C-alpha cells in the first residue's frame, strides 16, 4: 500500500511538472538579435582559438519539444584541428582564452570524449574533434531561448554563415 501511495505521488508530481505552463523568457529577442548573439559568440571562438578554415551554418530551433516558441539560435561550425595528440592542448588554449573573456567551463558533452563545454550569458558552446572527418573539429553554439515569435510555418532551414565568422 505504501508503495502504491509513493508511486501515485511520484507520477502525479511528474505530470504536474511536465504539464505546467512555461514561464516566458527573461528577455525576448528579435530574429536578428537571436542570430546576432550566436554569430558574435562564434566569432569570439574563431578569434580566440585562432580557428583555421571555419565553415558554419545557423539554424533557429525550438526550445520546446513540439516546435513551438520560444526559439533559440544555434550554429554548427567545423574547423581544422591539429594532430590527435596536440588537440587536448589546443582545446585547453581555446578555453583559457575564452575564460579570460567571461566564459565559464562546464562539464563536456559525454558523447564527445576530449571535448569542452563553455557558457556565458545564456549562451552554451561545445567543441570537440569531428567524429567522422579526420583533422576537423566541431563547435556547436546554442543561444538563449528568448525568441518568442511563432516560427512553426517557416520554410527556412540552415543558413550558411561562413562569411560572417571572420573578423
Amino acid at each position: 500500500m505504501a508503495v502504491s501511495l509513493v508511486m501515485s505521488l511520484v507520477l502525479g508530481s511528474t505530470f504536474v511538472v511536465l504539464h505546467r505552463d512555461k514561464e516566458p523568457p527573461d528577455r525576448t529577442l528579435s530574429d536578428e538579435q537571436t542570430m546576432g548573439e550566436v554569430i558574435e559568440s562564434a566569432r569570439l571562438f574563431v578569434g580566440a582559438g585562432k580557428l583555421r578554415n571555419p565553415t558554419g551554418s545557423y539554424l533557429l530551433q525550438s526550445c520546446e519539444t513540439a516546435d513551438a516558441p520560444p526559439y533559440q539560435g544555434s550554429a554548427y561550425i567545423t574547423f581544422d584541428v591539429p594532430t590527435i595528440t596536440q588537440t587536448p592542448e589546443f582545446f585547453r588554449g581555446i578555453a583559457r582564452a575564452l575564460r579570460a573573456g567571461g566564459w565559464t567551463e562546464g562539464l563536456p558533452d559525454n558523447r564527445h570524449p576530449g571535448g569542452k563545454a563553455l557558457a556565458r550569458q545564456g549562451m552554451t558552446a561545445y567543441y570537440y574533434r569531428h567524429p567522422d572527418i579526420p583533422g576537423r573539429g566541431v563547435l556547436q553554439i546554442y543561444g538563449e531561448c528568448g525568441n518568442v515569435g511563432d516560427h512553426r510555418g517557416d520554410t527556412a532551414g540552415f543558413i550558411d554563415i561562413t562569411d560572417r565568422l571572420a573578423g
Side-chain angles (χ1 to χ4, degrees):
M1 187 141 143
V3 172
S4 295
L5 178 60
V6 170
M7 286 301 293
S8 295
L9 287 172
V10 169
L11 291 174
S13 298
T14 302
F15 180 82
V16 169
V17 168
L18 292 176
H19 291 90
R20 67 185 161 99
D21 289 334
K22 304 280 184 193
E23 291 187 29
D26 292 338
R27 73 180 186 122
T28 58
L29 302 170
S30 68
D31 292 351
E32 294 78 24
Q33 290 170 316
T34 302
M35 183 180 216
E37 73 174 4
V38 171
I39 290 176
E40 183 58 34
S41 293
R43 292 175 70 182
L44 285 172
F45 273 83
V46 169
K50 298 177 181 68
L51 303 184
R52 293 187 340 220
N53 300 316
T55 60
S57 58
Y58 169 84
L59 179 68
L60 187 64
Q61 62 185 41
S62 175
C63 298
E64 299 294 326
T65 56
D67 198 31
Y71 296 87
Q72 69 182 153
S74 63
Y76 184 88
I77 298 157
T78 62
F79 55 93
D80 292 343
V81 292
T83 66
I84 198 160
T85 58
Q86 296 170 327
T87 299
E89 181 54 37
F90 177 65
F91 282 176
R92 283 191 293 273
I94 295 170
R96 270 192 304 274
L98 288 161
R99 280 195 314 264
W103 289 79
T104 57
E105 199 164 347
L107 294 174
D109 181 348
N110 64 2
R111 295 174 295 168
H112 303 289
K116 296 279 186 190
L118 297 170
R120 183 181 85 166
Q121 299 172 348
M123 306 292 295
T124 305
Y126 302 95
Y127 58 97
Y128 50 91
R129 283 187 71 86
H130 198 298
D132 299 320
I133 304 174
R136 294 292 280 173
V138 173
L139 167 63
Q140 293 178 284
I141 300 176
Y142 300 95
E144 298 177 72
C145 288
N147 187 314
V148 295
D150 190 347
H151 293 278
R152 285 179 271 211
D154 289 2
T155 57
F158 288 97
I159 298 169
D160 186 349
I161 59 170
T162 300
D163 60 338
R164 299 181 183 187
L165 297 176

